Amino acid sequence: MEKQYHRVGKRKNSIARVYLRDRASDAGVIRVNGRSFEDYFPRATSRMLIKQPLELTGTVGQYDIFVNVQGGGSSGQAGAVKHGIARALLIIDPTFRAVLKKAGHLTRDPREVERKKYGLAGARRRYQYSKR
């Protein structure tokens, strides 16, 4: 059986389970929730973000990547997939750590949506003031 590497990536409310396997075909394939990578992330910026760890380490097309991602929105899911891929690449070759760490791909982005407060329209936005 082929070797498989598994890691979890997170961002905002999104959780991505990333599985890296040695490629089966000529070019490495990326599948997200059973769909093709380009189909699941139609925005070019999201696709570019996900490929960053692979391009930094020079491993584009060397692995088949299968991702299960849930929660959050499109941007958060793309960030979670990027984080998961970067962490999985560390298992394959620990020498990638310096490059990935410097680029900030190993740090989980801690920013979350602030909760709504009572008496306000949102977390900080107030209701419109009426003079009369």
Side-chain angles (χ1 to χ4, degrees), residues 9-120:
K10 295 180 181 182
R11 179 155 196 276
K12 293 187 177 182
N13 284 328
S14 301
I15 299 171
R17 294 186 304 251
V18 177
Y19 303 89
L20 261 69
R21 299 180 193 149
D22 295 323
R23 71 171 179 223
S25 60
D26 292 337
V29 70
I30 303 175
R31 309 258 321 147
V32 181
N33 289 352
R35 291 161 54 187
S36 73
F37 166 67
E38 291 81 11
D39 184 38
Y40 195 84
F41 291 107
R43 292 176 56 203
T45 53
S46 296
R47 292 195 300 263
M48 181 194 71
L49 185 77
I50 291 168
K51 287 184 178 178
Q52 281 178 348
L54 298 169
E55 290 168 353
L56 272 174
T57 55
T59 54
V60 177
Q62 290 185 14
Y63 300 99
D64 287 339
I65 303 171
F66 299 95
V67 182
N68 290 324
V69 66
Q70 60 191 32
S74 177
S75 174
Q77 287 187 353
V81 172
K82 178 193 81 162
H83 187 228
I85 290 173
R87 291 180 67 190
L89 285 170
L90 273 188
I91 303 171
I92 295 166
D93 191 354
T95 60
F96 291 155
R97 183 171 187 81
V99 178
L100 292 171
K101 184 87 171 155
K102 187 174 182 193
H105 297 309
L106 298 179
T107 306
R108 191 242 195 251
D109 191 349
R111 294 175 295 173
E112 294 280 339
V113 176
E114 191 175 342
R115 78 171 191 87
K116 182 193 177 301
K117 278 73 170 189
Y118 56 87
L120 298 180

